[in-house]
Amino acid sequence: MDNKKWYKVLDNRNTLPEGRVQTVTAGHQGICLTHYDGKFSALDNACPHQGGPLGEGSIENGMLRCPWHGWDFDPCNGQSPGGHDDSIITFEVKEEGDAIYVAIPEEESHKDTISDVMIETMVNWGIDTVFGMVGHSNLAVADAMRRQEEKGKLQFFGIRHEGAAAFAASGYAKLTGKPAACFGIAGPGATNMFTGMWDAKVDRAPMLALSGQVNTQVVGTGAFQEVDLVKAFDSVTQFNHAVHLNSNHSELMSQAVKTALIKRDVVHLTFPDEVAFTEKPKHAVAQTPENRITPFNISPPKKMVEKAVNLLKKAKRPVIIVGHGARFEMDAITAFAKALNCPVITTFKAKGLIADSHPLGCGVLGRSGTPIASWFMNECDLMLVLGASFSNHTGITPKKPIIQVDYDPMALSKHHKVDVALWGEISETLHIITTQTKDKTAAIDQTEEIKERWKLWREEKESRLKDCGNGLSSISVFNAMNKVTPDNAVIAVDVGNNTYSFGRYFEPTNQAVLMSGYLGSIGFALPAAMGAWAAQGDKRPIWSVSGDAGLGQYLAEINTLVKYNMNIKHVVLNNSELGKISKEQRAAEVDVWQTSLSNPSFAKYAENCGALGIRVEKLEDLVPAMEKLRDHDGPALLEIITDVNLI
């Protein structure tokens, strides 16, 4: 054998007894190593029938039997009995001491595949973070990602469930405004991503979903793990295509990422297995976004600006309501609010965009909100709504004059008419409005009223701070978080009573809050915190909060935190019940049924995974435990036994 290379495949020959076989690897070559008739032999590990792993087979009656379909071969020379022409390739073997070596031809240098050119294009467009699971139908795409990771251009996080991958990518995008990718195999691996894809879609978070697919030649035949993924994902995606041999591969990836960025939506590409492994066309090169994407600083129509300016000049008690869509424009919004000395209210998804301690901050409006926010909305004579979607959970009243600003014309006057609909980018629009209203408004100074309303609400919260004996109250948990959580933390929250209480009682300073907004999906918090950690690393502390049911959805991802040493602090409120559902059953005047939960010790589970686990049952232990959680260097979980009735 010319240009061969020897690989040690067995340290001790005695570990493979006479009459046995074993799978070993020489370089990238899979080998079926046999010990028969007093000698060691090396055969290609793939059965020529359907690729069955011969090293997992056995020697029966002097023949090597394939474990999949019972094909027989000579265990020494790989010949097929009966004169068939499907013999197995063999490799030279030598023994040195107790070690066994196999020689294989030197591998040719890697030739770029279709997967390579597409993943390089993806990275060039700025998607450098992927959450997913590697499997048999996405191996070529995964290998292309590995090469980008080795160059330091991509980070890949192997998760325990593809649903967590999609939520992590969604959390990443909600925090940064930039897409990450989720990644799964054909069939169930891809369909597991569906919920997280919908979460990103309805909250306008850009996301790229990548999936493997069965070979093209068996599509439509009901092959193993065959699902029509283009059809399956059609409802959740803005751009959704299969990659073909003759596709314009780099352009296909460019169009996918460009769509995600501009439309702030979910896009999907699926790679049939044989396409993904195919060598790229000779002249194909990875693309970049240079001169391919437009700036987004859109100015609103002048006629609408005039109407807005006239209303703002006359208003005596204006309020500003900011939604999640305004999260990158808060400096300009706060400056305008200061010019008016008017309250700034947030939707729940926008919680934390202005500190509750800010002289103009009035907390959250709606079901998860404070009486401060609702009071000022009801007392106002004009609302300036920026980047909010008018969810029924938020409860922005249509009975007051409204100026609405949004980059998406379909979001304007979506649920009911507004007085002025300003289609434009928020900072650009605010700059124009500020210039035209400077020193020309009739707004009164509402800062003293804001201060008084906060005083009343904090007195009310203090009166609720108690421990009834069946566990701690939710307010005590978030009162402790107010004292302990770092000012610059990112906090991912789940759904349920724990999240309603978070919205009502946690007083943000400079923290960013991530949630499953319109979809309201249980289990979001921990995977979203993983996405935030991937985006921020050690730049900001990453916390997450959930109930016991929410954590149970993706409990195994604590192993992922440990694997990658994700410095995430998770707070779980354990009341052994689907408390929000019990509450809804009572409100619907039906029996409370099937809402109890049987939980493990979450703290001990975290410890078993290699994280710090702490359990608290008494009020006096809460703040010290939370401080220990905060100060721990590495992943940590705080389990708090709470009373389901104290929300």
Side-chain angles (χ1 to χ4, degrees):
M1 184 186 300
D2 295 330
N3 299 320
K4 64 187 177 184
K5 185 173 181 180
W6 288 94
Y7 291 87
K8 183 164 67 172
V9 296
L10 213 60
D11 289 322
N12 189 331
R13 68 190 314 278
N14 295 322
T15 59
L16 185 61
E18 169 77 21
R20 300 290 297 277
V21 302
Q22 179 179 332
T23 297
V24 296
T25 303
H28 290 105
Q29 175 66 54
I31 300 289
C32 171
L33 189 67
T34 68
H35 188 182
Y36 181 71
D37 199 18
K39 67 178 183 178
F40 287 87
S41 303
L43 294 74
D44 188 325
N45 196 47
C47 174
H49 179 212
Q50 283 192 2
L54 295 175
E56 297 176 17
S58 58
I59 296 176
E60 302 176 19
N61 298 321
M63 299 300 291
L64 170 63
R65 176 154 292 178
C66 173
W68 281 8
H69 302 103
W71 244 239
D72 284 338
F73 305 93
D74 187 290
C76 298
N77 61 30
Q79 295 297 310
S80 178
H84 299 293
D85 59 357
D86 55 356
S87 299
I88 306 169
I89 296 172
T90 60
F91 303 94
E92 189 177 352
V93 176
K94 70 178 180 180
E95 300 184 35
E96 291 185 359
D98 288 334
I100 305 297
Y101 291 80
V102 173
I104 65 169
E106 285 194 6
E107 296 181 21
E108 295 182 7
S109 59
H110 172 73
K111 295 180 179 179
D112 282 349
T113 63
I114 288 171
S115 298
D116 283 308
V117 75
M118 294 190 71
I119 295 304
E120 185 178 350
T121 299
M122 178 192 82
V123 170
N124 289 346
W125 273 83
I127 298 183
D128 60 4
T129 302
V130 183
F131 306 90
M133 187 175 291
V134 178
H136 70 279
S137 57
N138 65 22
L139 296 179
V141 181
D143 202 43
M145 291 182 187
R146 177 187 60 80
R147 276 183 280 280
Q148 292 298 316
E149 187 177 60
E150 287 179 349
K151 294 176 182 178
K153 296 182 177 181
L154 180 142
Q155 54 180 353
F156 184 91
F157 298 98
I159 42 70
R160 304 302 291 265
H161 190 282
E162 295 89 350
F167 277 138
S170 181
Y172 181 104
K174 289 176 184 180
L175 181 63
T176 66
K178 300 175 182 179
C182 55
F183 179 57
I185 66 167
T191 57
N192 279 345
M193 300 189 295
F194 194 66
T195 302
M197 292 167 69
W198 266 108
D199 175 76
K201 183 179 185 66
V202 296
D203 283 350
R204 303 306 300 268
M207 176 193 290
L208 171 63
L210 301 173
S211 64
Q213 182 56 289
V214 299
N215 286 343
T216 304
Q217 59 265 36
V218 297
V219 168
T221 65
F224 177 68
Q225 292 191 333
E226 181 200 348
V227 172
D228 187 341
L229 293 174
V230 173
K231 184 180 291 185
F233 289 157
D234 194 51
S235 63
V236 73
T237 53
Q238 180 69 224
F239 184 94
N240 177 32
H241 293 282
V243 181
H244 299 295
L245 284 173
N246 294 320
S247 296
N248 185 342
H249 302 111
S250 60
E251 180 62 16
L252 192 62
M253 180 61 79
S254 293
Q255 289 288 340
V257 182
K258 183 176 180 179
T259 301
L261 288 167
I262 293 179
K263 297 291 187 179
R264 303 185 194 186
D265 212 327
V266 177
V267 298
H268 168 244
L269 293 173
T270 188
F271 293 74
D273 205 18
E274 89 286 358
V275 175
F277 273 108
T278 298
E279 185 177 345
K280 74 176 181 66
K282 184 177 181 181
H283 299 294
V285 293
Q287 292 194 28
T288 74
E290 184 179 3
N291 296 329
R292 293 296 305 274
I293 197 161
T294 181
F296 297 118
N297 52 331
I298 303 167
S299 298
K302 291 182 179 179
K303 184 177 180 181
M304 285 304 200
V305 171
E306 290 174 4
K307 290 181 68 176
V309 167
N310 288 335
L311 284 176
L312 284 164
K313 286 180 178 179
K314 296 175 185 177
K316 293 183 178 180
R317 297 183 60 87
V319 300
I320 294 174
I321 301 176
V322 293
H324 185 64
R327 64 193 183 280
F328 301 120
E329 316 297 343
M330 286 308 297
D331 288 344
I333 293 169
T334 305
F336 187 62
K338 286 179 179 177
L340 298 176
N341 285 315
C342 74
V344 179
I345 301 167
T346 76
T347 65
F348 192 17
K349 280 202 297 179
K351 184 176 176 68
L353 292 188
I354 187 169
D356 283 3
S357 57
H358 190 284
L360 300 176
C362 293
V364 170
L365 184 66
R367 299 183 187 183
S368 305
T370 68
I372 307 166
S374 57
W375 191 88
F376 278 103
M377 181 183 70
N378 292 329
E379 294 296 317
C380 79
D381 58 5
L382 177 66
M383 292 185 291
L384 175 60
V385 183
L386 304 161
S389 49
F390 289 79
S391 162
N392 60 325
H393 278 243
T394 301
I396 299 174
T397 178
K399 298 178 181 179
K400 300 280 185 175
I402 297 172
I403 301 170
Q404 184 187 3
V405 182
D406 207 286
Y407 76 94
D408 181 2
M410 289 301 295
L412 296 168
S413 303
K414 183 176 181 180
H415 300 295
H416 54 76
K417 66 179 182 180
V418 299
D419 297 84
V420 183
L422 289 176
W423 176 32
E425 191 266 333
I426 290 172
S427 63
E428 190 81 9
T429 303
L430 270 182
H431 174 72
I432 295 169
I433 289 175
T434 300
T435 301
Q436 297 188 25
T437 59
K438 187 177 182 180
D439 300 325
K440 298 177 182 178
T441 64
I444 65 172
D445 188 341
Q446 299 179 67
T447 53
E448 287 302 315
E449 289 181 63
I450 294 170
K451 188 184 299 182
E452 178 61 26
R453 286 288 153 182
W454 271 111
K455 180 176 179 292
L456 293 171
W457 173 231
R458 287 183 175 126
E459 288 173 353
E460 172 62 23
K461 288 201 295 181
E462 187 67 25
S463 71
R464 300 182 188 182
L465 186 59
K466 62 181 182 178
D467 178 8
C468 76
N470 294 324
L472 280 67
S473 63
S474 293
I475 187 172
S476 69
V477 174
F478 297 114
N479 183 61
M481 284 189 66
N482 287 334
K483 298 174 181 177
V484 176
T485 310
D487 287 349
N488 64 335
V490 178
I491 306 174
V493 297
D494 217 270
V495 299
N497 283 340
N498 64 92
T499 311
Y500 281 110
S501 296
F502 173 87
R504 190 169 294 117
Y505 300 126
F506 181 73
E507 296 186 12
T509 48
N510 193 36
Q511 295 94 350
V513 178
L514 303 176
M515 66 182 65
S516 177
Y518 265 128
L519 192 66
S521 179
I522 194 169
F524 172 83
L526 186 60
M530 292 161 53
W533 185 88
Q536 294 292 321
D538 294 328
K539 295 177 183 177
R540 300 179 72 173
I542 310 296
W543 288 50
S544 52
V545 180
S546 75
D548 43 0
L551 179 59
Q553 294 271 311
Y554 293 107
L555 185 59
E557 297 304 333
I558 293 176
N559 295 282
T560 307
L561 307 191
V562 172
K563 177 181 179 181
Y564 295 101
N565 196 27
M566 294 181 172
N567 196 4
I568 293 171
K569 319 302 184 187
H570 188 83
V571 178
V572 55
L573 285 69
N574 181 359
N575 56 28
S576 297
E577 188 171 330
L578 286 162
K580 184 174 182 291
I581 307 306
S582 299
K583 182 180 177 183
E584 290 174 350
Q585 288 174 329
R586 293 187 187 98
E589 299 180 357
V590 299
D591 290 343
V592 173
W593 185 68
Q594 293 290 2
T595 58
S596 62
L597 297 173
S598 176
N599 291 324
S601 167
F602 293 113
K604 288 183 178 179
Y605 182 90
E607 289 180 353
N608 286 340
C609 295
L612 173 67
I614 311 169
R615 179 182 171 105
V616 168
E617 299 182 24
K618 297 179 180 179
L619 183 59
E620 60 266 27
D621 298 331
L622 182 54
V623 170
M626 200 167 285
E627 289 173 339
K628 184 177 180 182
L629 181 86
R630 177 198 63 197
D631 297 338
H632 179 69
D633 184 16
L637 178 144
L638 174 60
E639 177 183 9
I640 305 170
I641 305 304
T642 56
D643 188 317
V644 70
N645 295 310
L646 294 179
I647 57 173

